[in-house]
Amino acid sequence: MAVDAQEISVVVIGAGQAGLSASYFLRHYGVSHVVLDGAPEAGGAWQHRWPSLRLGKVHGIHDLPDFPLGKPDSERPASEVVSEYFAAFESAHSLPVIRPVRVTAVRENGDGRLLVVTDRGPWVARAVVNATGTWERPFWPHYPGQASFLGRQLHTAGYNGPEEMAGKRVVVVGGGASATQALAEISLVAATTTWVTRRPPVWREGPFKEQDGRAAVALVDERVRAGLPPISVVGVTGLGITPDVADARARGVMERLPMFSRVVPDGVEWADGRHVEADVILWATGFRAALDHLAPLRLRAPGGGILMDGTRVVVDPRVHLVGYGPSASTVGATRAGRAAAREVRDLLRKQAVSAA
């Protein structure tokens, strides 16, 4: 054990919805723990969303445990509303969140415990609940000629709103909610917009119901139980039609093209010779789970994912992943936090009995 390491029963990594939920229930069960959050402020990934993304445009925010969000102004930026909500939850329940703390590695401590290495000193814990989400790992696909493009390329992780696209010819790449949200507002100020996706979009008519979310979570859960990389919960539910998206569809903005075959200096091209000029390519191509700090534990299965049983990593029951796979959305995050806290409590009890 590192000489200066602090000892605790459980370390929760990340203070998004899943991490806060886990902390709440660990406190409820009387389990000593700390929450290490890499962000400068409360809000999880929501604090980074672009300002023009209003609360009324998002899929919906599910309540944290015993702390209703209520009905805030739907015209306020989602980043502000959710950050304030998370901060209020942390304060109301006196959750032991420390920030900013960047976790760089989790490895064996040599005595059955886990060593959590951070930029503010090490911790030693009997269990780790990982809730780092995906925001820090934006996915950039690679296409021939990408480096030759003379315009601007950015990922939605770096998108700040439609104003920066005014008068530009913009290609939006991606078939998820972020793509349609950005495309709808960019189309109001850009010179032209072109939407490209790998697969035709599947639109979800009507309101998003709780049972729909549960069904989607179950489908994603099947993959992680098989040790396969998770797919997006939103990818299973289909694309919601907000008023802005409905308006964009009516204006013909949401007519998609299949993926181009290459990027050229002044735009993109398809194998059939089609050419679209562009000043900006916006890659709305999603994110991957931010799990590099867990690499020393060798948790990945041959299929490329991490074999899971609920929130528990099958090959190492000391490690739980929340905000991963089926709980990587607000639909399943609170439930996952409760499940992880309960299992960790039971694990610590077994450890205590074995040591007696």
Side-chain angles (χ1 to χ4, degrees), residues 157-173:
Y159 173 64
N160 293 314
E163 295 81 8
E164 57 188 340
M165 306 295 174
K168 306 289 188 181
R169 298 165 298 178
V170 182
V171 172
V172 177
V173 183

Side-chain angles (χ1 to χ4, degrees), residues 102-127:
R102 182 162 296 279
V103 174
T104 56
V106 179
R107 55 173 59 102
E108 293 290 348
N109 191 56
D111 60 359
R113 295 182 295 173
L114 296 165
L115 177 65
V116 181
V117 183
T118 85
D119 62 353
R120 292 177 60 180
W123 292 77
V124 172
R126 298 191 178 280

Side-chain angles (χ1 to χ4, degrees), residues 75-205:
E75 289 302 310
R76 289 189 64 202
S79 58
E80 292 182 4
V81 173
V82 180
S83 294
E84 292 170 4
Y85 176 53
F86 284 11
F89 181 79
E90 291 179 17
S91 177
H93 297 291
S94 301
L95 299 184
V97 181
I98 303 175
R99 63 168 61 90
V101 181
R102 182 162 296 279
V103 174
T104 56
V106 179
R107 55 173 59 102
E108 293 290 348
N109 191 56
D111 60 359
R113 295 182 295 173
L114 296 165
L115 177 65
V116 181
V117 183
T118 85
D119 62 353
R120 292 177 60 180
W123 292 77
V124 172
R126 298 191 178 280
V128 165
V129 178
N130 191 83
T132 46
T134 63
W135 184 260
E136 294 186 355
R137 281 200 65 199
F139 174 65
W140 291 74
H142 296 288
Y143 282 85
Q146 214 162 338
S148 72
F149 184 60
L150 298 177
R152 181 186 178 198
Q153 297 186 65
L154 72 160
H155 192 277
T156 45
Y159 173 64
N160 293 314
E163 295 81 8
E164 57 188 340
M165 306 295 174
K168 306 289 188 181
R169 298 165 298 178
V170 182
V171 172
V172 177
V173 183
S178 292
T180 58
Q181 290 162 353
L183 180 62
E185 62 183 24
I186 289 171
S187 67
L188 297 173
V189 299
T192 63
T193 58
T194 304
W195 185 29
V196 295
T197 70
R198 287 190 301 158
R199 293 180 293 272
V202 176
W203 299 101
R204 188 189 71 248
E205 303 287 346

